[in-house]
Amino acid sequence: MTTVCTAEQMRTAERAFFDAHPGADLMAVAAHAVATTAVTMLLGDEPLEESAEWIAQQRVLVMAGRGNNGADGLFAAAELCRDGWVVDVCPVLGSLHEAGAGAAQEAGCGEVSPVDALDRHYDLAIDAVLGIGGRPSIPDSLARLDEALAGADTPVLAVDLPSGLSADSGEVVRCVHARTTVTFASRKWCHLARPAAACCGRVILADIGVAVPDADQVASVTDLADLWPVPGPASDKYSRGVVGCDTGSSQYPGAGVLGVLGALRSGAGMVRCVGPDAVRQHVMDRTPSVVCAAGRVQAWVVGSGWGDDAGNAARLDRRLADGVPVVVDADALAVLPRRIPEGCLLTPHAGELARMLGIDRAEVEADRRGSCLAGARMFGATVLLKGSIQWVATPDQQISAALPGPAWTAQAGSGDTLAGVCGTLLAAGLSARDAGLAGAGLQALAAILSPGPWSPDQLADRFPEVIGRLVAPGPVGAVEREFSA
Ligand SMILES: NC(=O)C1=CN([C@@H]2O[C@H](COP(=O)(O)OP(=O)(O)OC[C@H]3O[C@@H](n4cnc5c(N)ncnc54)[C@H](O)[C@@H]3O)[C@@H](O)[C@H]2O)[C@@H](O)CC1
Ligand SMILES: Nc1ncnc2c1ncn2[C@@H]1O[C@H](COP(=O)(O)OP(=O)(O)O)[C@@H](O)[C@H]1O
């Protein structure tokens, strides 16, 4: 798991740190982490011991703002300059942090205006204009610099986060594009949530001695690989898990097909389809290996595409009474009993969760994390709240987020395939929490690797390749490296 925090949680942690360590110089620690990362980027493969003369030819541009983020950049500029690199400081917002500017000047840094910087060559640029205090977007002068640096293929190192992003979301209005970002104490949401994450490049987490106790846990690609069930030499279709799909209706047969596809393409030992005739016919046409007959299953998927039918409550009760874990999706969420058997996974989107809680959708949207926890508490079941950040809360009130993906999956039918994937994972023996995290993570990863308007069935057809790459044997860290490119 990776930890992730909001700007507010970071500030609170910083205040607690200073209460415990009055007079500590956090900025110096952060600036040193920036300078160290900058040197690593500049050196590349250059042998350090022979490079004094070469270092004196390398030019670094430090684009600085007027707040503490700018100060981190300016103190890093001073350190780099003292170590022999040629550094220009560029006051992008007009003025600079006073102490930081003094340190940079004393160390021998030059100063360059945003316009003059456009005509100079730099081997590395450091973006220290805006950090967690930044409002979304950047001024034109910085946008022009960002464009020029990209045009010259100059690598950009962002301090804490690329300027222009909002620390707490994946939203991008206009921002700097970094090859590497060095952040402090914990990742922020913009480093993980899309599309912002793509503007951060590689994210390096620097330990500055500050703990963020209330930071959240987010499943990484490595977690996804570790969780994914891989058949062993002794596996057979039953030990891998049989998924029963009781989904779709004559009105919405497609939802039944999509759930089956999600289950099948994510590695179920067998998929049984026991939906209405209309569903079974389409399923057989599309996926001949699916068994359209009743029989034992290790997990059920129910609710997707049921429509508003008077028999829904009885249809749900029958599956819940089977004694195996159930993925409860879509229309089944409208007829939930007060207590759900242990091990089940509820997969609402914000509107469905609002109905479950008896509150307005806007209230859920205003506090998605808290609402997910409330849903798990109210029904005594694990809840996967779908959306741009996919929270998974357990009845004992643990909460974590799945690997976030791009909004390409925000389309009708994605939830149906996701329910099928979660069914496969429950049938394979994963806990409801792990099934929710891994299922949502797979869908996100598939969309990250295949950006574009792929329909849910097309994306499901890509699951086998994604899973194959995910679980391929390799050295420690190989999975993260493969998927961070
Ligand atoms: N909070 C912490 O725990 C730590 C913070 N540190 C650094 O401090 C940074 C936060 O510093 P600040 O709170 O001073 O905030 P920032 O330096 O991120 O930005 C604040 C300044 O930028 C201006 N500004 C904001 N958005 C703008 C926009 N879109 N266009 C133009 N001007 C804009 C504000 O009016 C303010 O003057 C972190 O990102 C990090 O780099 C580090 O020194 C280490 C510890
Ligand atoms: N903004 C978003 N960014 C990334 N993923 C999203 C976003 N919005 C929705 N999703 C994902 O898309 C899927 C949509 O599911 P859902 O709303 O249930 O659709 P349906 O019921 O039509 O199948 C879910 O997996 C959800 O997590």
Side-chain angles (χ1 to χ4, degrees), residues 185-228:
S186 162
R187 284 177 173 76
K188 318 295 178 303
W189 281 105
C190 63
H191 300 134
L192 298 161
R194 308 242 151 200
C199 305
C200 298
R202 182 168 167 240
V203 179
I204 294 173
L205 182 60
D207 180 0
I208 56 170
V210 175
V212 193
D214 51 355
D216 275 302
Q217 304 283 318
V218 180
S220 64
V221 175
T222 303
D223 297 318
L224 191 53
D226 289 346
L227 285 173
W228 207 269

Side-chain angles (χ1 to χ4, degrees), residues 7 10-15 18 26-31 65-73 93 97 128-139 159-161 164 182 184-185 188 208 210:
M10 185 65 208
R11 288 202 186 91
T12 306
E14 190 194 27
R15 281 195 294 274
F18 281 123
L26 259 193
M27 207 171 265
V29 183
R66 55 173 83 99
N68 292 335
N69 189 256
D72 289 346
L93 301 179
H97 183 276
V129 182
L130 298 167
I132 60 173
R135 294 182 298 275
S137 195
I138 47 175
V159 179
D160 211 4
L161 45 108
V182 57
F184 314 116
K188 318 295 178 303
I208 56 170
V210 175

